[in-house]
Amino acid sequence: MSEETETRLIVVAPDSEITPDHVTRFIHALELPITVKETCYGAIIEGKRELVRKALQEVRKLDPNRICSKIRGFPMGDMRRCRAHHGSRPGFPQLEKEWELLPLIAEGLRSAERGEKIEEPERKVKLPVKELKKIVEEVSQ
Amino acid sequence: MKIFIDPPNSLILYDLVERFGHEPLSTMGALREKVNTLEMDSPPLNITHEDVQKGLKYAGIEVPSGIRGRLAVFGPLVDEAEAAIIMEDPPYAFGCVGCHRTTLMLKYLIRKRNIPLLEVKYPTSEDEARTMVGKIKEFLEGLS
Amino acid sequence: MIKIAQLSCGAEYSGVQSEIEKAANSVGAKMVYPDIDYEEIDRAVEEFGFDPASPTLRMMIARAMHLVEGRYDADAVFIATCFRCAEGALIRNEVRRFVQENSRLPVVTYSFTERTKAGQLLTRMEALVTIVERKELLARERQVGLTAGIDSGSTTTKVCILRDNEIIGKYWLPTGEVLNSADTSYEKALEMAGVKARDIEAIGVTGYGRFIIGKKMKAKLIQEELTVNSKGAVWLADRQEGEATIIDIGGMDNKAITVRDGIPDNFTMGGICAGASGRFLEIVAKRLRVEIDELGALADRGDWRKVNMNSYCSIFGIQDLVTSLAEGVSIEDVAAAACHSVAEQVYEQQLQEIDVRQPVIQVGGTSLISGMVTAIKDMLGQQPIVPKDSQFIGAAGAALLSSGFLEGQ
């Protein structure tokens, strides 16, 4: 496989109305010479880099803030990383967890689009030992 | 610019870096080359004995082989990076970043590089997510 | 096809994954990987009670739980982590214990480096396959009938003749030409037992020369030494149940095997340094102008602390001993220092790679040297069990196991 080839995950946020089936059909309809496979989180596409990027650019338009993407190291259907042959792929639980987080990211993107001011939320700090000691004395009395 | 992301296989960071016009340096990218090298035969990742030895550039012989093998693949990404984003406290970090010690070392290596660096925390609420995305956007747009 | 579930951390990035798969394939087994999802990992780690920082180790725990709960079908378990990783070593051992306590799946463990090749994994994989395929045979605790066991080692060839769970004939000699050494020892052992070769109902063979000897003698059992020696050691020591560590320091190499109910689950093997073997003691005995059998008793009367040894090496270490003699230290102290040196090196090179479980059963040629047993006791803080005929574990184990083929006849 040449270096010009790219494999990409198209991941649709769980709260998006767009379904993996929709994404797959949409990419097919672009009639680009790339391979498309529907997955539980969206789709996986593979082909010449510029064509894959073009498909990504188009598919993002369906729901810009809720369709995300990253590349994949292994080619599509590679036996070395096939779930049936090698059990769950080690990176899969991570994808599952990041997928769950996408609605929050979409919210962040919308907020950034609106140009909202970034406010640093207050981070909790550990209670100073002196104060804890005081409380211990109070409570134990 | 080439942006190193940590966790280096994060979908969210990869997407945001690309979205705001830069090139993410990820483990998927680094492994792509490895797994496509057909003449080698050390599946699944095609990491070889020689690769693990190359990891000595980043950590000594007393360091476990799995760490040196990882650093051999991911260390060059740190060397190549022109800027970086680190997301602290992710509740997930599997696959390529399955070794906690390697993750710690990679973060240290990137901090030592003295390149533009943004450190954010994994969000737990909408407010925190807004802040995180906003900061990442601001950081990436500010890179010339 | 035997399915071996792999629970590991670091194998892919150490470049040894293909070696693991190669070793499994060559013994007719296949590596498999229990499938789990994210939620299960959190639940498993919480239930297990050990929460490692490395995600792959967390995944290992979840996979182990999956196996134990019978939600994944495998015949055996291979648990491996990177050598020198503290977190990995702790989890490897606790996961091992967890699987053994909660299932009947045979387990072997390993800590690998990037230099690990299929050859080093082969004995483990072969042992796993044996434990699965010959479960009933390995469960055998008593020898029946009249059987013979041959252990063709790198230094010595040992033969035992067993009748009704007793050793009735035994013989050993230094290994020369493999077949001749086996033939001679076999004849001598038969002579001692007072039986004829035609009366022997089954022969078991183990050790380096097992294939060639086994073929010629039409052995019923041809088996790697890991399972055979373990079985022989617990049989001789009468410790067939529970955990134990077998320390086998031979003439030229040494092994440490951990067992549970007589079934091995990990081992380490020396062999690159003569300083950690009986050879070192032979050189010392020669230098002290005493017989090797006398060295142990001398050592028991000496104090190793009086000798300053800076090296375990059979050249430099011996130099230190000679220097001490010249300074007026007694030969008893020198003998004790020699035994201490061997024990210390076994401790530093071998026992670091396994979890030492009590009781320790000390076997092999050097277990006959009492000073060596004392040195091991000092090192481990507990008296090792030295069974009678402790140098014959392989031969006794082979004779015991081969009698399993006689059932029903």
Side-chain angles (χ1 to χ4, degrees):
Chain A
M1 202 173 286
S2 89
E3 281 209 20
E4 297 307 307
T5 305
E6 189 166 279
T7 309
R8 242 178 209 277
L9 314 181
I10 311 284
V11 186
V12 186
D15 61 343
S16 171
E17 283 83 41
I18 309 289
T19 63
D21 173 56
H22 189 166
V23 168
T24 316
R25 278 188 288 120
F26 179 86
I27 298 172
H28 274 305
L30 294 173
E31 295 191 345
L32 295 168
I34 57 173
T35 320
V36 190
K37 204 173 118 188
E38 189 182 325
T39 64
C40 51
Y41 51 79
I44 180 161
I45 59 178
E46 186 172 282
K48 282 216 170 96
R49 182 169 291 151
E50 70 269 26
L51 297 177
V52 166
R53 302 261 168 115
K54 192 168 186 319
L56 173 66
Q57 204 184 349
E58 293 302 318
V59 80
R60 267 198 204 280
K61 289 178 188 164
L62 293 175
D63 194 351
N65 292 335
R66 288 188 289 197
I67 292 181
C68 291
S69 174
K70 72 166 181 172
I71 55 165
R72 184 180 137 146
F74 282 86
M76 245 162 114
D78 194 302
M79 292 286 273
R80 291 169 294 187
R81 268 295 181 262
C82 163
R83 200 163 181 172
H85 286 85
H86 232 271
S88 44
R89 291 193 306 272
F92 194 73
Q94 172 168 356
L95 190 67
E96 273 183 293
K97 202 67 194 167
E98 286 199 280
W99 175 75
E100 281 173 20
L101 190 69
L102 290 182
L104 286 186
I105 301 298
E107 180 50 38
L109 285 168
R110 277 194 294 273
S111 155
E113 265 172 15
R114 292 193 293 266
E116 282 172 20
K117 228 178 101 202
I118 305 166
E119 278 174 38
E120 187 77 57
E122 213 181 301
R123 289 277 173 190
K124 284 182 178 168
V125 288
K126 284 182 181 161
L127 193 70
V129 180
K130 262 188 187 169
E131 276 182 45
L132 178 65
K133 201 180 164 211
K134 219 174 89 193
I135 295 168
V136 169
E137 279 162 8
E138 275 171 23
V139 175
S140 55
Q141 268 174 13
Chain B
M1 279 169 80
K2 290 178 175 176
I3 317 290
F4 180 82
I5 55 173
D6 188 286
N9 58 348
S10 166
L11 161 74
I12 293 165
L13 290 182
Y14 194 96
D15 182 89
L16 292 175
V17 169
E18 266 196 332
R19 203 177 272 263
F20 296 116
H22 292 279
E23 186 192 336
L25 295 171
S26 68
T27 51
M28 296 82 73
L31 284 175
R32 180 74 175 193
E33 256 173 68
K34 288 259 151 219
V35 302
N36 278 346
T37 314
L38 288 174
E39 63 268 25
M40 280 205 273
D41 185 27
S42 185
L45 302 180
N46 272 343
I47 307 275
T48 61
H49 178 190
E50 287 73 29
D51 285 320
V52 184
Q53 282 183 336
K54 279 182 206 151
L56 286 173
K57 181 182 168 193
Y58 304 97
I61 193 81
E62 79 274 23
V63 172
S65 51
I67 296 184
R68 281 181 286 127
R70 283 180 158 94
L71 290 173
V73 181
F74 312 141
L77 300 180
V78 173
D79 300 340
E80 207 188 326
E82 294 166 294
I85 301 175
I86 294 176
M87 181 157 62
E88 286 287 1
D89 294 338
Y92 50 85
F94 286 94
C96 322
V97 287
C99 170
H100 182 61
R101 308 294 179 253
T102 311
T103 308
L104 293 177
M105 186 64 184
L106 278 178
K107 283 196 274 207
Y108 172 69
L109 289 173
I110 205 80
R111 286 174 187 135
K112 253 192 3 182
R113 281 279 324 271
N114 285 327
I115 49 174
L117 169 66
L118 174 70
E119 300 205 31
V120 290
K121 285 220 169 187
Y122 177 89
T124 55
S125 66
E126 266 192 25
D127 281 349
E128 286 180 8
R130 267 190 221 111
T131 309
M132 187 190 86
V133 176
K135 276 174 142 183
I136 291 176
K137 180 174 185 252
E138 198 178 77
F139 175 75
L140 291 169
E141 286 177 349
L143 294 170
S144 49
Chain C
M1 177 77 80
I2 288 176
K3 289 189 280 184
I4 303 174
Q6 184 178 330
L7 308 180
S8 66
C9 180
E12 292 182 348
Y13 282 95
S14 297
V16 301
Q17 184 58 36
S18 59
E19 302 293 336
I20 294 172
E21 288 170 20
K22 231 185 274 173
N25 290 342
S26 63
V27 292
K30 185 185 167 207
M31 300 311 292
V32 294
Y33 316 87
D35 203 12
I36 40 153
D37 57 33
Y38 186 84
E39 302 305 326
E40 273 187 88
I41 298 172
D42 280 353
R43 178 188 66 86
V45 167
E46 198 179 319
E47 221 168 284
F48 191 69
F50 192 144
D51 184 3
S54 291
T56 310
L57 291 172
R58 296 167 62 82
M59 203 164 191
M60 241 171 99
I61 293 171
R63 285 182 160 170
M65 203 150 278
H66 219 72
L67 279 170
V68 160
E69 288 169 0
R71 292 193 285 147
Y72 189 85
D73 183 30
D75 304 299
V77 189
F78 177 70
I79 304 175
T81 58
C82 294
F83 180 50
R84 294 199 196 94
C85 172
E87 192 183 29
L90 291 170
I91 295 290
R92 186 182 69 233
N93 196 32
E94 294 315 316
V95 164
R96 189 268 307 161
R97 212 189 299 265
F98 174 77
V99 173
Q100 286 177 330
E101 283 171 3
N102 295 287
S103 77
R104 297 181 66 87
L105 292 166
V107 180
V108 298
T109 63
Y110 192 62
S111 56
F112 50 77
T113 71
E114 71 271 30
R115 295 225 167 246
T116 299
K117 295 286 166 232
Q120 287 159 279
L121 296 162
L122 205 63
T123 314
R124 286 176 169 79
M125 296 295 181
E126 198 185 341
L128 263 186
V129 170
T130 306
I131 298 164
V132 174
E133 287 182 335
R134 297 187 158 167
K135 211 175 194 170
E136 281 168 35
L137 190 71
L138 289 178
R140 168 156 299 279
E141 293 187 355
R142 279 185 66 81
Q143 185 268 351
V144 293
L146 179 65
T147 61
I150 302 171
D151 177 4
S152 171
S154 60
T155 318
T156 55
T157 300
K158 288 135 285 193
V159 176
C160 272
I161 310 290
L162 268 68
R163 181 192 275 150
D164 301 334
N165 213 35
E166 296 284 337
I167 297 177
I168 56 166
K170 60 194 176 194
Y171 195 80
W172 73 269
L173 52 70
T175 304
E177 202 272 313
V178 171
L179 279 174
N180 280 342
S181 308
D183 280 342
T184 314
S185 324
Y186 186 45
E187 278 166 28
K188 296 274 187 189
L190 286 170
E191 212 175 287
M192 179 180 169
V195 294
K196 297 270 180 265
R198 61 171 181 273
D199 300 326
I200 299 292
E201 296 170 90
I203 299 177
V205 192
T206 189
Y208 297 89
R210 64 185 179 276
F211 294 109
I212 176 169
I213 298 169
K215 203 174 156 199
K216 191 188 163 225
M217 295 201 160
K218 296 192 177 63
K220 286 241 173 26
L221 177 96
I222 300 170
Q223 196 70 58
E224 39 63 49
E225 54 270 30
L226 192 54
T227 46
V228 176
N229 286 12
S230 301
K231 203 67 203 173
V234 297
W235 179 75
L236 284 167
D238 197 18
R239 290 282 174 155
Q240 309 229 30
E241 275 169 31
E243 301 208 317
T245 307
I246 299 161
I247 298 181
D248 178 359
I249 309 171
M252 242 147 101
D253 65 5
N254 60 65
K255 287 187 206 72
I257 312 173
T258 52
V259 297
R260 190 183 175 89
D261 296 339
I263 308 286
D265 51 38
N266 194 13
F267 84 125
T268 78
M269 208 165 157
I272 47 165
C273 176
S277 75
R279 184 77 187 116
F280 185 81
L281 300 178
E282 270 176 20
I283 300 170
V284 173
K286 213 167 181 183
R287 183 63 188 78
L288 296 178
R289 295 181 195 285
V290 297
E291 289 299 314
I292 183 82
D293 341 4
E294 298 168 47
L295 192 76
L298 280 176
D300 280 337
R301 295 197 296 272
D303 180 0
W304 61 268
R305 291 171 194 84
K306 291 189 182 157
V307 180
N308 182 24
M309 271 189 89
N310 294 314
S311 171
Y312 300 131
C313 172
S314 49
I315 294 171
F316 299 115
I318 302 283
Q319 263 180 15
D320 288 340
L321 295 177
V322 172
T323 311
S324 300
L325 284 174
E327 285 167 359
V329 174
S330 73
I331 64 166
E332 284 85 354
D333 294 337
V334 168
C339 293
H340 180 80
S341 170
V342 173
E344 196 168 68
Q345 202 190 176
V346 168
Y347 179 79
E348 285 182 9
Q349 306 294 326
Q350 249 74 59
L351 300 181
Q352 303 289 322
E353 295 172 38
I354 56 164
D355 58 310
V356 179
R357 304 174 205 162
Q358 300 294 345
V360 168
I361 303 173
Q362 191 175 343
V363 294
T366 62
S367 61
L368 304 176
I369 299 169
S370 59
M372 210 42 243
V373 181
T374 311
I376 292 284
K377 182 193 130 203
D378 289 346
M379 198 69 57
L380 299 178
Q382 196 160 342
Q383 183 71 42
I385 300 170
V386 181
K388 188 166 175 275
D389 296 318
S390 58
Q391 74 276 39
F392 285 101
I393 48 163
L400 165 70
L401 290 176
S402 67
S403 82
F405 290 97
L406 304 180
E407 286 294 277
Q409 283 185 7

